Amino acid sequence: MSTDDVAVMTTDDAWRLLDGCVFGRLGVSVHDDPDIFPVNVHVDASARTILLRTAEGTKLSSLAVNERVVFETDAFTSRVGWSVIAKGRARVLVGTDEILRADQAPLQPWIPTLKTQYVEITVDRISGRRFAIGPEPERIVS
Amino acid sequence: MSTDDVAVMTTDDAWRLLDGCVFGRLGVSVHDDPDIFPVNVHVDASARTILLRTAEGTKLSSLAVNERVVFETDAFTSRVGWSVIAKGRARVLVGTDEILRADQAPLQPWIPTLKTQYVEITVDRISGRRFAIGPEPERIVS
């Protein structure tokens, strides 16, 4: 893979892009059966956390079995794109104080339903890549 | 969760949306450590398969350990959105005939690098949801 076409971001750059992000995809896995959910988030780059809100359901039941999660967000035009991947551990907020703090976060729900459970991901690994989009070089047929 | 705000698609509708899709996210998991990769795809709805091309690397090494994968694609405006999730088993194409067939697929590489390995996902489960986006109903503080 040519590094002219894919540029690995610094961790700071990846956090900067993640910091403005309000929407992405949560990847979870139960017994190595991976699943993805579109989610709204609030990112706190200084605390290295990603907050999301969810109703009871598959997402929460996955977290009870396996707290390892991955969050992905990306943006692209027809010419350039980027993707940031943040991995970490998720937990459901249960303390009154932390729930009240989470209530203050500018967390836009993607859908107007009542979602009373907060999940906070503590990020321990982040990576990001920028892409230049174009035709593939000719493959040599051997 | 109110069904006015989230509408579950029929399987046919989900395939119809997936069929036109050229870009999405591949979710994999190794030892319950989930990961997500942005990928270009070619969907063959009649064969119930999703084709992607990849260089040697993390995606391929994950598949060698665990063939269960999930593919997600979505689209949204400020008012409405949809998301389709397809789950299945992935395998690297190794036969000359199937590789030559894959070479004919209109598979746009997202990035102009040389990627000589094809991965085909045989979908065994698909689901899709449509969302109306708006403010959350007032939460009752008990």
Side-chain angles (χ1 to χ4, degrees), chain B residues 3-78:
Chain B
T3 51
D4 290 349
D5 307 311
V6 183
V8 175
M9 285 178 211
T10 64
T11 302
D12 282 353
D13 279 349
W15 270 112
R16 211 165 293 133
L17 282 167
L18 192 65
D19 201 21
C21 151
V22 296
F23 173 75
R25 293 112 206 140
L26 179 71
V28 299
S29 177
V30 175
H31 306 313
D32 266 339
D33 187 18
D35 214 340
I36 293 179
F37 304 88
V39 287
N40 275 98
V41 295
H42 171 66
V43 176
D44 185 338
S46 59
R48 299 291 191 252
T49 57
I50 301 171
L51 182 71
L52 58 110
R53 194 154 35 177
T54 179
E56 293 282 347
T58 312
K59 267 187 294 247
L60 279 180
S61 46
S62 299
L63 299 178
V65 179
N66 178 18
E67 63 183 9
R68 290 293 317 172
V69 299
V70 55
F71 175 78
E72 189 268 356
T73 188
D74 55 51
F76 54 99
T77 68
S78 58

Side-chain angles (χ1 to χ4, degrees), chain B residues 114-132:
Chain B
L114 205 54
K115 297 183 170 184
T116 53
Q117 296 269 16
Y118 287 107
V119 172
E120 187 181 74
I121 304 167
T122 302
V123 176
D124 50 42
R125 272 178 292 171
I126 190 169
S127 62
R129 292 177 302 161
R130 292 182 188 278
F131 308 93

Side-chain angles (χ1 to χ4, degrees), chain A residues 25 29 32 66 76 103 112 132 139, chain B residues 29 32 66 103 112 132 135 139:
Chain A
R25 293 114 204 136
S29 177
D32 266 339
N66 178 18
F76 55 99
D103 275 338
R139 178 148 62 124
Chain B
S29 177
D32 266 339
N66 178 18
D103 275 339
R139 178 148 63 124

